[in-house]
Amino acid sequence: MTDTSVADTDRLSGNKDMIVCEGVNKWFGDFQALKGVTATIKEQEVVVVLGPSGSGKSTWIRCINRLEAHQGGTIIVDGVELSNDLRNIEKIRSEVGMVFQQFNLFPHLTVRDNVTLAPIWVRKRPRAEAEQLAMDLLERVGIPEQADKYPGQLSGGQQQRVAIARSLAMEPRVMLFDEPTSALDPEMIKEVLDVMKDLARGGMTMMVVTHEMGFAREVADRIIFMESGEIVESGTPEHFFTNPTEERTKLFLSQIL
Amino acid sequence: MTTEGEGTLAGMQPKRVPLYRDATVVKWVTQVIALLLVLGALFFLVEEAGANLKAKSIPNDFDFLGINPGFNISEGIDKDPNTGGRALWVGMVNTLRLAMSGIVFATLLGLAIGIARLSDNWIVNRLASIYIETIRNIPILVQIFIIAVLLGSAGRLVGDTGPINGWFMVSSKGLAVPRIFPSDGFYQWLVVLAIGTLLARAVRKRRVTHQDLTGAISYPNLWFGAVLLLVAVVGWFVHPVFGFLNNLFNEIGDAWGSIPQSGAKLVLAAGAVTASLLWIRRFLNSKRSPAGLAKLTDDDMFRMIFAVIGGLLVAFVVTIGWPGLSSWIINSGQDFWHFLGDKFGDGRTGNPVDAMRPTIVGEGTLLNYGSQGLVMSPGFAAMFIGLTLYTASFVAEIVRGGILAVPKGQSEAAAAIGLNRAQALRHVILPQAVRVSLPPLGNQYLNITKNTSLGIAIGFADVVNVGGTVLNQSGKALPVIAIWMLFFLCCSLTISVVVNWFNVRTRIVER
């Protein structure tokens, strides 16, 4: 169960479906960013989405918590369908955490307040409890001593770890990562990836858009390769890196490896 | 001193830096030279002006402040001032009234229009754009003229019956609304309000604690307002119970009046010196860290020297330099307490606040409003409407810019952690937008204050208009101009200080 280094899809076979996407379409003006994306992600599954830039992978995971509205098909998260119903959107957003490339911490709040904001105002938890939770989470991402600093005083890697803690504070069932290490200096990438690996081992359902092949190979249960708004190929890391079937996948791998 | 720590290599002698390259020396010398230059220039200008004025026998004294100005003022706290100083004061009050009401209403209107311009609603959005683009592209003077002409040609509009019943009137003589004024029981009621505020603050604190402990949203500010309102309403009827304060204040006044002058001098001087010493102690403490006293910079030394000089100067002024000051403080303190006592005197059982209906005098072709109501004269109305509309268009753009300056990622992050739109606005967007908007907003407030001087174009009795008349009557150009400059400088500095204070409070900490 904790050994995720191999493509052990059996461990997920009994789990229920966490995210179900069925023929998801999305246009930006005339440009179609998503062309009928269909995929099912099981509970506790770690999915890494790969693909060249502009292939629609960020757009896809941004659709899953409605930062972008999809225009065709259905998205169901933990049994709740994402539609124009504001109540469903709020419910899904409070169960789906998201980590951004640019961290997007709130610069006017301390690290602690960044983490406690949502528990206090959305979950309506007592402040002391929320602060205890925040300290636990900061401990988990390895920076409890920075709690009273402001985001501007932290390094990029520390900021991204705070952002992860902020998302975890809502106790989400799914975590979405939108290129979490792309804005980081090389020596800070590891500290963020370590936190993410830790999360994956803890059984979190994760969808990760990244260019970190090492992370994908080590942690992912499944790799989804996208190009031009379509899912080209989907399979275990072993299958994907050693024996891809599609021509476009081979081309992509030949360019990055 | 500046060379220490250099010769780390063995055998290397610390080199003596020539004076002209020594940063400390250069800094001090340039500062002293700059100061001397400014003082010299000032001295030269004052001397020249004085000599020239004397040669042409133009008086430049301030006597006119004390003698009858010989003219009436169309509106203000005193329409028939008996000294030139009083006349200028009336003008200043008019200017301040105009500037303050303009600032408040331009902010509110600008906020509404700025948010409207960001609206998704096409019509609202377009209307706001049209407003901004029209108003801010027409010179303010032209707008004021147009509004003055429109108001001047307005017919009389008054409902003598029904619910309005003469409470509101509009005509070419201005806009008249009821005068609301503090009445008999006002000061007793103020005491009630003060107690109510304390009570409401306690309740708010309890609500905040409640929210912190249980997590339930408990609306502390709403509770604050409700408690205060309740106390105010109850106080409206029971305020006479505070009439007893009358005696208390009178006795304090008597006690104040019996302080000996020498004692007051001593206390004031000692207070000034102690305050400066205490400030230095606090300042040094702030520089002290566990590692010992931090190195003091020249700037720090400057500050401490100025603190000492300031303290000694004040002590000198109150003891020797200005002997009248201590007796003035004693007398005015006594008067103040007796004044307060008077406000709580016998028979003050009426309503705290009353309203008077505007009356009409000389009804006919040249009707005028009597002293009963609060009349906004056509001049004030034109200036107020013109300044408010004009400045609001700039404030709207500042508000829009402030909100747009918050990166999109902030609202996305707020949405992603589950905050709804209102919560995101309150906790994430607005705090950051305010920070960006404050400095340019302060500029607009300065502009409004300075633009009040356009009142001279339509005969509004602001400080420039009144000062101009005083200048013409007395011929004392330089003194009047000096008063104008000093007045506007004071206004601007006050606004700057207030805006900067808010600015510091909303600053974002970075490394």
Side-chain angles (χ1 to χ4, degrees):
Chain A
M1 159 103 184
T2 51
D3 182 12
T4 51
S5 59
V6 292
D8 173 19
T9 38
D10 286 348
R11 78 174 180 95
L12 303 167
S13 55
N15 290 1
K16 62 170 184 156
D17 296 345
M18 189 55 104
I19 302 172
V20 180
C21 295
E22 188 98 14
V24 175
N25 288 321
K26 167 79 188 168
W27 283 269
F28 291 111
D30 290 338
F31 174 70
Q32 188 169 7
L34 294 179
K35 300 171 185 163
V37 173
T38 300
T40 301
I41 288 140
K42 298 264 189 195
E43 195 172 8
Q44 299 200 341
E45 187 171 7
V46 178
V47 173
V48 169
V49 185
L50 296 177
S53 64
S55 58
K57 44 194 198 311
S58 282
T59 308
W60 182 27
I61 73 166
R62 286 164 62 83
C63 280
I64 288 171
N65 69 348
R66 196 71 171 191
L67 290 183
E68 308 280 0
H70 61 285
Q71 286 139 347
T74 50
I75 297 177
I76 298 171
V77 180
D78 200 15
V80 180
E81 185 179 349
L82 206 49
S83 60
N84 265 333
D85 186 343
L86 288 173
R87 205 173 58 186
N88 283 2
I89 294 175
E90 274 175 29
K91 189 162 165 30
I92 286 176
R93 277 181 179 164
S94 62
E95 293 201 0
V96 177
M98 177 133 186
V99 175
F100 300 86
Q101 180 177 358
Q102 298 296 340
F103 328 137
N104 293 342
L105 291 177
F106 307 131
H108 59 297
L109 299 177
T110 61
V111 164
R112 188 199 311 272
D113 291 342
N114 263 281
V115 180
T116 56
L117 187 63
I120 288 176
W121 292 99
V122 182
R123 292 270 190 249
K124 317 246 184 287
R125 298 180 68 161
R127 180 177 292 275
E129 200 181 306
E131 287 189 348
Q132 187 53 49
L133 171 73
M135 286 317 289
D136 291 347
L137 288 169
L138 290 175
E139 195 98 42
R140 191 160 154 198
V141 299
I143 39 174
E145 72 282 358
Q146 312 284 11
D148 292 314
K149 288 200 181 160
Y150 285 86
Q153 296 170 302
L154 305 185
S155 74
Q158 290 172 329
Q159 289 194 43
Q160 191 61 297
R161 286 188 279 160
V162 172
I164 293 174
R166 180 178 67 178
S167 291
L168 291 177
M170 284 297 283
E171 291 164 343
R173 318 224 21 209
V174 182
M175 285 286 282
L176 307 175
F177 292 85
D178 187 3
E179 306 205 16
T181 55
S182 299
L184 295 177
D185 292 338
E187 76 271 21
M188 292 169 184
I189 291 177
K190 185 174 176 298
E191 64 189 47
V192 172
L193 289 183
D194 284 345
V195 170
M196 289 167 62
K197 284 176 196 167
D198 205 45
L199 263 183
R201 293 197 187 100
M204 176 68 77
T205 313
M206 289 165 64
M207 255 182 100
V208 185
V209 173
T210 187
H211 298 296
E212 296 297 326
M213 296 303 152
F215 176 82
R217 204 190 281 263
E218 184 184 345
V219 182
D221 294 306
R222 183 150 54 111
I223 289 178
I224 294 178
F225 177 67
M226 287 183 81
E227 196 180 313
S228 317
E230 292 169 310
I231 293 180
V232 175
E233 187 160 0
S234 161
T236 62
E238 202 181 48
H239 162 82
F240 183 82
F241 284 110
T242 56
N243 190 22
T245 45
E246 296 288 324
E247 247 351 277
R248 285 187 283 178
T249 316
K250 286 177 190 162
L251 185 67
F252 176 74
L253 285 174
S254 72
Q255 279 162 347
I256 57 158
L257 290 179
Chain B
M1 345 142 230
T2 53
T3 56
E4 71 187 14
E6 275 183 9
T8 46
L9 287 172
M12 191 171 161
Q13 288 296 317
K15 263 187 270 171
R16 179 117 194 103
V17 178
L19 276 184
Y20 63 90
R21 253 171 41 205
D22 187 322
T24 316
V25 174
V26 169
K27 195 165 116 191
W28 277 84
V29 168
T30 46
Q31 300 227 19
V32 170
I33 290 177
L35 187 67
L36 287 179
L37 278 179
V38 170
L39 287 180
L42 266 181
F43 179 76
F44 173 77
L45 287 176
V46 170
E47 196 72 345
E48 275 300 285
N52 284 342
L53 288 173
K54 197 169 277 176
K56 292 182 182 170
S57 62
I58 300 173
N60 62 346
D61 54 87
F62 286 83
D63 289 351
F64 65 91
L65 289 178
I67 53 181
N68 197 325
F71 64 89
N72 291 341
I73 297 177
S74 60
E75 67 175 300
I77 48 173
D78 188 353
K79 294 187 181 177
D80 188 14
N82 49 16
T83 64
R86 177 82 178 159
L88 283 171
W89 173 241
V90 173
M92 288 178 193
V93 170
N94 282 341
T95 296
L96 288 178
R97 274 182 184 167
L98 181 57
M100 286 194 284
S101 43
I103 284 174
V104 170
F105 283 90
T107 309
L108 295 177
L109 186 62
L111 200 65
I113 293 172
I115 290 173
R117 192 155 185 208
L118 287 172
S119 163
D120 292 335
N121 185 322
W122 190 84
I123 295 177
V124 171
N125 186 322
R126 281 304 110 163
L127 282 178
S129 301
I130 291 170
Y131 172 88
I132 292 170
E133 293 306 337
T134 315
I135 298 286
R136 74 169 175 178
N137 288 319
I138 300 176
I140 172 73
L141 190 57
V142 175
Q143 292 189 42
I144 290 171
F145 273 132
I146 293 174
I147 294 166
V149 168
L150 284 179
L151 282 178
S153 59
R156 180 164 167 250
L157 205 72
V158 53
D160 288 330
T161 53
I164 296 175
N165 198 14
W167 284 97
F168 296 92
M169 288 183 252
V170 183
S171 78
S172 58
K173 288 293 179 180
L175 315 170
V177 296
R179 180 187 294 278
I180 297 169
F181 59 97
S183 179
D184 267 359
F186 183 69
Y187 287 82
Q188 277 121 291
W189 193 52
L190 270 192
V191 176
V192 178
L193 287 190
I195 294 171
T197 310
L198 289 179
L199 198 69
R201 281 181 59 144
V203 170
R204 176 167 63 185
K205 205 170 160 203
R206 271 191 66 115
R207 299 307 298 177
V208 169
T209 324
H210 178 72
Q211 176 165 350
D212 287 350
L213 286 181
T214 64
I217 307 290
S218 54
Y219 308 106
N221 287 326
L222 212 63
W223 274 83
F224 179 88
V227 170
L228 189 58
L229 188 71
L230 185 72
V231 174
V233 169
V234 173
W236 189 274
F237 301 103
V238 304
H239 65 80
V241 298
F242 287 103
F244 74 90
L245 287 172
N246 170 24
N247 290 330
L248 181 69
F249 285 139
N250 280 336
E251 271 166 35
I252 293 177
D254 293 340
W256 191 275
S258 61
I259 298 172
Q261 262 205 44
S262 52
K265 279 182 185 175
L266 210 64
V267 168
L268 284 174
V273 174
T274 319
S276 75
L277 291 181
L278 278 179
W279 185 87
I280 289 175
R281 211 183 88 163
R282 232 187 67 190
F283 185 71
L284 282 178
N285 274 340
S286 74
K287 300 273 162 192
R288 209 185 294 278
S289 63
L293 195 60
K295 202 165 177 334
L296 293 172
T297 62
D298 300 337
D299 199 42
D300 297 338
M301 296 304 288
F302 259 137
R303 287 186 192 192
M304 289 196 291
I305 291 169
F306 272 122
V308 173
I309 292 178
L312 291 178
L313 205 66
V314 173
F316 173 77
V317 166
V318 296
T319 48
I320 304 158
W322 188 2
L325 182 68
S326 50
S327 63
W328 180 81
I329 288 176
I330 290 172
N331 286 338
S332 46
Q334 185 183 8
D335 289 350
F336 172 74
W337 288 110
H338 281 153
F339 168 82
L340 270 189
D342 199 40
K343 291 297 178 192
F344 288 87
D346 298 329
R348 289 189 172 265
T349 52
N351 285 339
V353 176
D354 257 326
M356 282 194 292
R357 192 190 312 224
T359 52
I360 300 171
V361 278
E363 194 163 358
T365 43
L366 281 174
L367 89 164
N368 214 335
Y369 297 118
S371 56
Q372 297 272 304
L374 189 66
V375 181
M376 200 196 266
S377 73
F380 185 94
M383 287 303 296
F384 169 68
I385 297 172
L387 282 179
T388 302
L389 294 183
Y390 182 72
T391 313
S393 67
F394 290 92
V395 172
E397 287 293 88
I398 290 169
V399 168
R400 184 172 75 110
I403 292 177
L404 288 183
V406 180
K408 196 159 172 267
Q410 292 288 310
S411 42
E412 285 185 351
I417 57 172
L419 299 181
N420 63 33
R421 248 180 101 86
Q423 287 169 335
L425 207 63
R426 180 179 154 201
H427 296 291
V428 178
I429 309 297
L430 281 185
Q432 297 184 63
V434 165
R435 176 182 60 99
V436 181
S437 309
L438 269 179
L441 208 55
N443 286 343
Q444 288 309 321
Y445 294 164
L446 293 178
N447 277 349
I448 258 196
T449 311
K450 290 180 285 187
N451 282 341
T452 53
S453 55
L454 292 173
I456 200 166
I458 55 165
F460 172 64
D462 74 319
V463 67
V464 177
N465 196 348
V466 173
T469 315
V470 171
L471 192 157
N472 281 335
Q473 302 271 6
S474 63
K476 313 252 168 95
L478 277 186
V480 171
I481 291 170
I483 289 175
W484 279 340
M485 285 166 59
L486 203 65
F487 171 73
F488 280 109
L489 188 68
C490 287
C491 292
S492 300
L493 287 181
T494 311
I495 293 173
S496 293
V497 166
V498 172
V499 171
N500 277 337
W501 183 77
F502 276 110
N503 207 9
V504 167
R505 276 180 55 115
T506 57
R507 193 172 47 188
I508 281 181
V509 180
E510 283 179 11
R511 72 182 69 197

